[in-house]
């Protein structure tokens, strides 16, 4: 009788132990941020890696780095490419692959990758960009970028990470918000910010962000 009781008790405990094991495995995997492309969802390896790199650290400055961007942001963007709310000719060719992919898994994979540091090629331009990023431009009403994207540019679940992104890509996105070519920002937040920026300010802040 006593033996059976122990067995029952062990059985009852098992699911909990497995739960703890799974959680710690996931945490360990996130902490070590595997750069191993073999861990990526298949679509990442077979389609997306060509432009975004196997670990989301793209090399070409017109292809955004996806490594370390927030899950929420990545998933939102993929859904909006699919719905046509965000449009881009180069991403168009990947839409069929995106349509059949597990978007949550793809977003989680890229979010868990370690972002490679970006490079600044013009220190003077970056210094001008830092002033705008941290303090905005009170005369023209440009708010500080740090107010939403955080002083480190790391972002959070509401505002995407910008730090280390290719300057060419960042500048192109701000320009697209400015002209309205990109209009998938909720409540027009980024369009309102970009509309007040000069081309010089856009180039400078993009250069600074690349080095964050
Ligand atoms: C031929 C190159 C190419 C391929 C292949 C490609 N992308 Fe992209 N991707 C781009 C470009 C270029 C952009 C920037 C689009 C823009 O300017 O709006 C982009 C943007 C994105 C963004 C938005 C990033 C941001 O910071 O807002 C996500 C997310 C994304 N791609 C995911 C994917 C996924 C997932 C796949 C595979 C199914 C994929 N891409 C395949 C070129 C590519
Ligand atoms: C009031 C909050 C707010 C402020 C201030 C703000 N942003 Fe944003 N930004 C956002 C949000 C929200 C998004 C995501 C839009 C979306 O969902 O597509 C975003 C997106 C972006 C993107 C697109 C990122 C990508 O990977 O494609 C860039 C680039 C950007 N912001 C640059 C800036 C710069 C530069 C400044 C300062 C001049 C700034 N932002 C100020 C809220 C803000």
């Amino acid at each position: 009788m006593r033996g059976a009781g122990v067995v029952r008790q062990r059985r009852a405990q098992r699911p909990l132990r497995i739960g703890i094991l799974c959680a710690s495995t996931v945490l360990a995997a996130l902490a070590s941020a595997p750069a191993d492309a073999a861990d990526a969802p298949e679509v990442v390896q077979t389609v997306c890696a060509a432009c975004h790199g196997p670990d989301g650290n793209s090399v070409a400055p017109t292809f955004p780095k996806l490594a370390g961007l927030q899950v929420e942001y990545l998933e939102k963007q993929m859904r909006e490419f699919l719905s046509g709310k965000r449009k881009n000719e180069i991403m168009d060719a990947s839409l069929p692959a995106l349509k059949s992919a597990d978007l949550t898994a793809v977003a989680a994979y890229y979010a868990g990758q370690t972002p490679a540091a970006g490079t600044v090629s013009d220190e003077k331009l970056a210094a001008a960009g830092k002033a705008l990023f941290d303090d905005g431009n009170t005369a023209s009403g440009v708010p500080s970028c740090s107010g939403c994207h955080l002083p480190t540019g790391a972002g959070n679940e509401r505002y995407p990470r910008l730090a280390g992104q290719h300057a060419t890509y960042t500048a192109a996105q701000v320009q697209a918000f400015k002209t309205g070519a990109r209009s998938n920002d909720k409540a027009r937040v980024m369009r309102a910010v970009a509309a007040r920026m000069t081309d010089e300010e856009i180039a400078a802040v993009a250069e600074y962000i690349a080095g964050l």
Side-chain angles (χ1 to χ4, degrees):
M1 276 313 277
R2 203 167 156 254
V6 170
V7 169
R8 222 175 285 132
Q9 216 181 335
R10 284 216 187 107
R11 284 221 182 101
Q13 280 173 359
R14 200 175 294 154
L16 181 67
R17 286 226 194 95
I18 291 170
I20 291 169
L21 184 72
C22 285
S24 59
T25 310
V26 169
L27 285 179
L30 285 177
S32 62
D36 188 355
D39 295 337
E42 202 188 337
V43 67
V44 167
Q45 305 176 48
T46 55
V47 182
C48 326
C51 296
H52 295 289
D55 64 349
N57 283 301
S58 76
V59 181
T62 48
F63 300 154
K65 291 183 189 173
L66 306 179
L69 265 66
Q70 282 74 15
V71 174
E72 297 82 357
Y73 176 78
L74 287 168
E75 201 169 330
K76 176 179 185 285
Q77 300 308 311
M78 290 188 282
R79 293 203 185 286
E80 291 175 348
F81 278 125
L82 283 171
S83 74
K85 205 170 170 192
R86 180 171 174 184
K87 293 184 195 70
N88 179 261
E89 278 178 15
I90 304 169
M91 272 296 291
D92 274 358
S94 298
L95 294 185
L98 213 52
K99 200 172 172 188
S100 50
D102 177 346
L103 298 185
T104 309
V106 171
Y109 172 74
Y110 284 128
Q113 299 306 303
T114 307
T119 45
V120 165
S121 45
D122 186 335
E123 293 288 349
K124 218 178 134 194
L125 191 63
K130 177 178 167 50
L132 188 78
F133 190 92
D134 291 343
D135 307 321
N137 179 343
T138 25
S140 58
V142 180
S144 71
C145 317
S146 60
C148 289
H149 296 280
L150 302 195
T152 57
N156 57 31
E157 68 285 357
R158 293 183 62 194
Y159 306 112
R161 174 187 181 86
L162 303 178
Q165 187 57 272
H166 300 297
T168 306
Y169 172 77
T170 300
Q173 294 308 304
V174 180
Q175 288 289 358
F177 282 125
K178 187 177 171 177
T179 62
R182 179 170 169 183
S183 58
N184 68 328
D185 52 328
K186 244 189 245 163
R188 309 179 71 98
V189 218
M190 274 310 299
R191 275 173 287 172
V193 172
R196 300 184 169 116
M197 295 172 75
T198 64
D199 292 351
E200 290 72 24
E201 284 175 329
I202 293 173
V205 83
E207 187 72 7
Y208 174 66
I209 285 168
L212 278 175

